[in-house]
Amino acid sequence: MIRVENLHKHFGGFHAVDGASIEIATGSITGLIGPNGAGKSTLFNVIAGVLPPTSGKVTMAGEDITGLPPHDLFHKGLLRTFQIAHEFSSMTVRENLMMVPAGQSGETLWNAWFGRGRVADEEKALAAKADEVLDFLTIDHLADERAGNLSGGQKKLLELGRTMMVDAKVVFLDEVGAGVNRTLLNTIGDAIVRLNRERGYTFCVIEHDMDFIGRLCDPVIVMAEGKVLAQGKADEIMQNEAVIEAYLGTGLKNKLKAEGTA
Ligand SMILES: Nc1ncnc2c1ncn2[C@@H]1O[C@H](COP(=O)(O)OP(=O)(O)OP(=O)(O)O)[C@@H](O)[C@H]1O
Ligand SMILES: [Mg+2]
């Protein structure tokens, strides 16, 4: 589905992504893990068209999509969520979902497409779609709640819900479990698995929670210092010496830094 070839993203002299090559197979739930600062979010941002790459190539189903802007990728079915949820806090949960297709195609195009008379019908269809999504995510009781009042975990579910308002093919989830309690994390995990099995979504998931990664993802790709360090099944990866070293390495460096000895 997605192939990334020898990708570099430099910020000045700093190589945040330093020659990474990955493949995300159609129908997979691919995990992307690695210590803080490994370049995971930067890699996502380049794939999703938020940041231009310094060099390298990204293809989707064989088509070169390197550097395409997010709305073009959106129309191709490539969607992402953000590490920090970015809901419209004063709007309701249902309204937030209804915004997704319109927000991406632009208000003018939207009106031109449906014409003035058809906007009301279209709104009804969007509301019905939003309610279906909320039902799927088991948060239908929150439809009329202001999004700003949701818990962190509920906001993450709403982020996932946004990807369900259109026909997504491949979805990039950046730390969808961060700050989320166990129960909600399971709800999010279940929704991902069901979207994968029942609707054919391909996922690439960045997450620090290893239980979550182990339960959902095959394969798991490990990044460290901008490079791909290892790839394989979750249980193999977690016993891989280089991977353990990469995690311990940063842990040790941070500890020494905190103690003022490095
Ligand atoms: N816009 C930017 N300008 C300069 N440096 C950046 C920029 N964005 C990211 N970086 C740096 O690139 C490195 C990789 O950051 P990135 O956010 O991709 O890491 P990550 O693997 O997602 O980490 P985390 O697990 O903490 O989210 C970090 O050292 C970060 O400080
Ligand atoms: Mg990140």
Side-chain angles (χ1 to χ4, degrees):
M1 173 72 72
I2 299 287
R3 183 186 295 237
V4 174
E5 292 169 43
N6 197 20
L7 198 88
H8 287 260
K9 179 63 194 178
H10 303 169
F11 296 109
F14 182 73
H15 297 194
V17 178
D18 194 15
S21 298
I22 69 168
E23 256 182 65
I24 301 165
T26 305
S28 71
I29 305 178
T30 298
L32 183 59
I33 67 170
N36 295 118
K40 306 179 297 293
S41 294
T42 305
L43 181 65
F44 264 30
N45 283 331
V46 172
I47 295 172
V50 179
L51 292 172
T54 304
S55 64
K57 188 173 171 187
V58 185
T59 58
M60 178 173 179
E63 181 190 354
D64 191 347
I65 58 163
T66 318
L68 284 188
H71 64 267
D72 283 355
L73 296 170
F74 179 91
H75 287 295
K76 293 182 187 297
L78 188 158
L79 275 67
R80 65 157 302 171
T81 67
F82 291 87
Q83 190 164 346
I84 312 288
H86 64 312
E87 76 289 344
F88 297 101
S89 56
S90 64
M91 293 169 69
T92 68
V93 169
R94 184 188 290 112
E95 286 165 348
N96 263 270
L97 291 178
M98 289 172 64
M99 287 287 290
V100 173
Q104 291 289 338
S105 25
E107 189 67 17
T108 326
L109 179 63
W110 186 245
N111 285 336
W113 189 262
F114 291 104
R116 268 207 239 128
R118 294 189 59 189
V119 170
D121 281 351
E122 192 52 34
E123 254 188 42
K124 251 187 226 162
L126 275 177
K129 176 75 186 165
D131 286 345
E132 187 219 316
V133 166
L134 293 171
D135 191 46
F136 185 99
L137 295 175
T138 67
I139 49 170
D140 38 318
H141 56 287
L142 296 175
D144 297 310
E145 188 67 60
R146 280 162 55 118
N149 293 340
L150 299 184
S151 73
Q154 291 167 337
K155 284 179 185 174
K156 291 285 186 178
L157 265 178
L158 178 57
E159 280 277 303
L160 188 58
R162 294 167 63 89
T163 71
M164 298 172 60
M165 288 300 292
V166 292
D167 290 325
K169 290 194 179 74
V170 53
V171 179
F172 291 82
L173 302 175
D174 196 348
E175 297 202 21
V176 77
V180 175
N181 71 46
R182 259 308 129 189
T183 315
L184 262 182
L185 192 59
N186 286 335
T187 307
I188 291 172
D190 291 346
I192 291 171
V193 170
R194 283 185 59 204
L195 285 169
N196 176 254
R197 292 199 188 137
E198 297 171 20
R199 306 202 181 178
Y201 277 40
T202 297
F203 281 101
C204 184
V205 182
I206 296 179
E207 186 48 61
H208 285 292
D209 186 311
M210 291 300 173
D211 290 338
F212 185 83
I213 288 285
R215 189 163 74 85
L216 257 61
C217 300
D218 184 21
V220 177
I221 298 169
V222 188
M223 276 185 81
E225 298 181 349
K227 294 183 168 69
V228 174
L229 188 67
Q231 170 165 349
K233 290 195 181 297
D235 50 350
E236 295 163 9
I237 284 297
M238 286 169 203
Q239 289 167 26
N240 180 310
E241 287 292 332
V243 173
I244 295 166
E245 169 66 23
Y247 274 94
L248 288 179
T250 52
L252 193 61
K253 269 185 231 156
N254 289 341
K255 186 170 177 285
L256 292 175
K257 221 183 263 172
E259 289 168 359
T261 45

